[in-house]
Amino acid sequence: MNNTIYYDAQLTDDERRKLIFEGQLVAYSPREHSLALVGHARKLIEEAFAPLDPETAQYHMPVEQYAEVLGKLKPHFIHHPESKKHLKGLLAEMGADPEKTYFDVPKMRSSTSDNYLTTGIAYAWHPHRDTWYSAPPCQINWWIPIYDFRSDNAMAFHPKYWNRAVKNDSRSHNYYEWNKQHRGGHVSQFLKADPRPLSKPIETIEIDPQIRIIVPAGGIILFSAAQLHSSVPNTSGKTRFSIDFRVVNVDDAAARRGAPHVDEECTGTTMRDYLRGTDLSQIPAEIVALYDDGAQEDGELQYKPKDVSTPSL
């Protein structure tokens, strides 16, 4: 298959989703609402790290203190009403029908430089597909940098593995059991190693060829949940901060449209996590039922944080 990056292409949301389900990548220059979302995130970040520069604060703080700051900052961003407000505005600005578009809460991510902190609250992601974590094939990931970044501080896509099976251990991942056992735990305590069962390849992955897309702060990268991607080892000397969230179109979900199933063996589904762009209601139960696989057992079908100080992956 050919690999194309569509940059600022004049596409309808239907056309865009179809291309993404075929393995293509889509990127946009900053938009009004993406810049508003980034501005909101920057304010929270800079308040949390004051008086230090957030991009270089790692050089002036013990790693324990740094993880503690992130452990409060990231949930604060997730649950702040301004975060959802700007996200909803962005989806509408980008042509997504708010009546049919459902999103999960926006998450703030960080990637520190030179292996300062790569576990827990600042996990450095190995090559993976989100579909190994019970995401549906119709899920589209939106990724936005909060500050400008470089190739040595980026995210990599591995197009060789689109529609090509990778041996992986996702069979052990049950989303409902994950919610019960691992969501809401204080991941900021994982400073040296991360004991959580995070689905990964069990064969050697050829990292190259790889694609790294560089957009300015507030730019937007969209890709399929089935796209194999990873964190580039950060050697830039700066911490990268970014925002990501996931989107599902309810018509795609109802029709079972999306990226091809290739190698996912996980159980459970994230379909209960998405909120409609108008009234924040959940995807109708009869559609969610299409994705249930009888793996509920006694786990939590949906993660519900107990308070805003609780970190989330």
Side-chain angles (χ1 to χ4, degrees):
M1 118 179 177
N2 71 79
N3 300 113
T4 302
I5 301 171
Y6 290 82
Y7 192 82
D8 278 348
Q10 298 298 308
L11 300 167
T12 66
D13 188 49
D14 289 344
E15 292 169 336
R16 183 169 59 212
R17 299 196 319 276
K18 182 176 185 295
L19 288 170
I20 291 171
F21 294 155
E22 293 170 355
Q24 310 303 346
L25 300 167
V26 180
Y28 293 94
S29 52
R31 296 297 191 261
E32 176 186 351
H33 287 281
S34 66
L35 289 172
L37 181 59
V38 162
H40 162 62
R42 283 186 182 181
K43 182 176 183 293
L44 297 184
I45 293 169
E46 289 161 11
E47 287 174 351
F49 283 101
L52 300 174
D53 178 344
E55 293 183 281
T56 56
Q58 67 173 86
Y59 301 105
H60 306 285
M61 301 173 67
V63 68
E64 295 83 2
Q65 181 186 1
Y66 190 92
E68 184 179 352
V69 171
L70 291 182
K72 296 176 181 177
L73 167 63
K74 292 186 176 184
H76 183 40
F77 172 79
I78 288 172
H79 300 293
H80 198 294
E82 288 291 305
S83 301
K84 291 189 183 72
K85 171 188 169 184
H86 295 309
L87 190 161
K88 289 166 65 176
L90 176 60
L91 291 173
E93 183 180 12
M94 296 296 290
D97 183 346
E99 289 285 345
K100 296 183 177 183
T101 303
Y102 291 69
F103 62 88
D104 73 351
V105 293
K107 299 179 178 67
M108 182 184 291
R109 310 288 187 180
S110 55
S111 171
T112 61
S113 188
D114 302 303
N115 295 312
Y116 172 77
L117 178 61
T118 60
T119 58
I121 198 73
Y123 192 79
W125 281 96
H126 50 257
H128 69 285
R129 311 185 201 272
D130 280 22
T131 50
W132 292 351
Y133 295 89
S134 305
C138 59
Q139 175 182 290
I140 293 176
N141 294 9
W142 293 55
W143 189 92
I144 302 170
I146 298 172
Y147 299 94
D148 289 341
F149 68 106
R150 311 183 320 192
S151 180
D152 57 355
N153 186 10
M155 172 174 53
F157 299 97
H158 309 287
K160 176 179 180 177
Y161 296 97
W162 177 262
N163 211 12
R164 172 178 166 181
V166 173
K167 293 180 181 177
N168 65 85
D169 60 3
S170 63
R171 179 176 297 183
S172 64
H173 182 85
N174 176 283
Y175 187 61
Y176 312 127
E177 288 300 307
W178 171 270
N179 281 343
K180 182 173 70 174
Q181 297 175 15
H182 300 284
R183 292 287 288 270
H186 288 279
V187 294
S188 57
Q189 67 185 303
F190 302 146
L191 302 179
K192 302 297 182 183
D194 200 319
R196 296 171 298 169
L198 299 164
S199 299
K200 59 187 180 298
I202 54 174
E203 64 171 278
T204 300
I205 296 296
E206 295 180 17
I207 297 299
D208 296 314
Q210 60 179 278
I211 297 173
R212 303 182 187 184
I213 304 176
I214 307 302
V215 295
I220 309 160
I221 300 173
L222 284 75
F223 58 98
S224 167
Q227 191 77 248
L228 194 74
H229 60 291
S230 64
S231 299
V232 171
N234 185 350
T235 58
S236 70
K238 289 186 175 183
T239 297
R240 186 194 77 212
F241 289 92
S242 60
I243 298 164
D244 63 59
F245 56 91
R246 283 91 166 131
V247 168
V248 165
N249 178 282
V250 73
D251 289 346
D252 291 339
R256 303 298 294 266
R257 287 191 292 264
H261 284 282
V262 181
D263 51 20
E264 304 87 357
E265 297 185 85
C266 49
T267 51
T269 180
T270 62
M271 289 290 282
R272 292 176 179 83
D273 293 349
Y274 308 103
L275 307 172
R276 187 160 63 175
T278 52
D279 57 5
L280 302 183
S281 62
Q282 292 178 284
I283 292 177
E286 62 271 18
I287 296 177
V288 174
L290 299 173
Y291 295 83
D292 270 331
D293 51 17
Q296 292 91 321
E297 297 182 356
D298 59 348
E300 296 182 25
L301 295 181
Q302 181 186 13
Y303 172 63
K304 296 180 180 178
K306 296 176 177 59
D307 61 68
V308 297
S309 64
T310 303
S312 175
L313 176 68

